[in-house]
Amino acid sequence: MTVETPAPSRNSIPAHATPADRSSPNTDLGLSVILPGSLPPTLGTPAAPDRYQVDAVFTRRPLPEEVEAIDSSAPRDALSAAGYPGLTLRVSDRRLEIGNSNLEELEGGLSTVLADLLAQISRRIRQDQAQAFDRAAAAADVEHTRSEDVIRQAGRITFHASSPSD
């Protein structure tokens, strides 16, 4: 299945090249573009803030488990360890709100750190889901075997009248 990727509008800045089909939950969650309309209007002027919120668009709608993982303390800890203390992440529908940051940080390596972080979250969730599926399948196999054993045992039972005594 191929999904057409729309051409970037003049209201979006490509963050990195993306494959054509990124809509499946079986693909890593990523970021595709920054929304320039959400940036402070004073950027590029002497009045520009040093730090501000940058909104980036996800490559697909995040799964509830991905949103929960992004909202946990683990990403903040990882970002702090990577040299980005105080940075905040918030999911808002199909956007990631990157707070207390700036375009220079994103361009200087933060975009890669975020891409890696989101990919790790997606992969861990897919692994957790696969393990849960495997456990459920194993439990179903055990139950199926048990059920067959009971049916076999029940099938061995016959009802015959005893011989009359003379």
Side-chain angles (χ1 to χ4, degrees), residues 8-13 33-38:
S9 73
R10 61 179 237 247
N11 294 326
S12 63
I13 301 170
V33 295
I34 290 173
L35 296 175
S38 69

Side-chain angles (χ1 to χ4, degrees), residues 5-18 22 29-39 53-60 92 94-98 103 106 111 114-115 118:
T5 303
S9 73
R10 61 179 237 247
N11 294 326
S12 63
I13 301 170
H16 54 79
T18 59
R22 301 279 296 198
L29 182 63
L31 298 167
S32 60
V33 295
I34 290 173
L35 296 175
S38 69
L39 296 171
Q53 178 175 304
V54 178
D55 292 351
V57 179
F58 286 116
T59 53
R60 62 172 170 75
S92 179
R94 288 202 56 169
R95 291 187 329 259
L96 180 65
E97 296 173 353
I98 307 161
L103 294 177
L106 286 160
S111 62
L114 289 172
L118 294 175

Side-chain angles (χ1 to χ4, degrees), residues 135-145:
R135 284 191 301 274
D141 287 346
V142 167
E143 177 58 20
H144 179 74
T145 300

Side-chain angles (χ1 to χ4, degrees), residues 60-157:
R60 62 172 170 75
R61 186 171 303 283
L63 299 171
E65 298 90 344
E66 290 169 326
V67 173
E68 184 178 322
I70 292 167
D71 288 342
S72 75
S73 62
R76 283 189 303 277
D77 295 344
L79 289 167
S80 185
Y84 301 100
L87 192 125
T88 62
L89 300 178
R90 181 177 173 274
V91 176
S92 179
D93 192 32
R94 288 202 56 169
R95 291 187 329 259
L96 180 65
E97 296 173 353
I98 307 161
N100 199 29
S101 185
N102 56 51
L103 294 177
E104 291 76 18
E105 272 187 335
L106 286 160
E107 192 173 34
L110 176 57
S111 62
T112 300
V113 171
L114 289 172
D116 290 344
L117 178 69
L118 294 175
Q120 289 169 359
I121 287 171
S122 294
R123 291 172 191 156
R124 190 191 76 239
I125 288 169
R126 279 196 307 274
Q127 182 180 20
D128 291 349
Q129 289 172 338
Q131 289 172 347
F133 178 83
D134 291 346
R135 284 191 301 274
D141 287 346
V142 167
E143 177 58 20
H144 179 74
T145 300
R146 184 204 60 79
S147 176
E148 284 182 338
D149 290 347
V150 169
I151 291 169
R152 266 194 302 280
Q153 183 179 13
R156 289 191 304 262
I157 298 172

